[in-house]
Amino acid sequence: MKSFRKELWFETRTRRALINITSKIEECLRESGIKEGLLLCNAMHITASVFINDDESGLHGDFEAWLEKLAPEKPYSQYRHNGAEDNADAHLKRTIMGREVVVAITSGKLDFGPWEQIFYGEFDGKRRKRVLVKIIGE
Ligand code: ZN
């Protein structure tokens, strides 16, 4: 069995951002040389997500509005976690959007359903953060 590991780094200019990382993940898969197996991709920070959905700007606006309704950033004082930090909302948003994705690899390709794309969801950005890509198979 082959095994491949790589970290991808991101630094967003805004506190929140959604980045389509599908082409970077496909690059990792090519680099690994693995044709049949499983790919895991997870955020290595508890205020960021990796998730699969549609690359459609309307939907991305809907995610932002929905997450702000469920866990509004402000007022910071509404959260017990805040004080030394101001990122309680980011922890909650990350929990809603998920930590990781697992994608099947078939014939050297990500075995996606229609319109599936992989996203990095940043909820407390403006600093360097990373994502782990682990691929196992043959
Ligand atoms: Zn925190």
Side-chain angles (χ1 to χ4, degrees), residues 81 85 87 91:
H81 177 68
E85 285 189 292
N87 64 1
H91 289 279

Side-chain angles (χ1 to χ4, degrees), residues 46-47 81-82 84-91 124 127:
I46 51 181
T47 53
H81 177 68
N82 288 342
E85 285 189 292
D86 68 357
N87 64 1
D89 70 300
H91 289 279
D124 185 22
R127 57 197 170 101

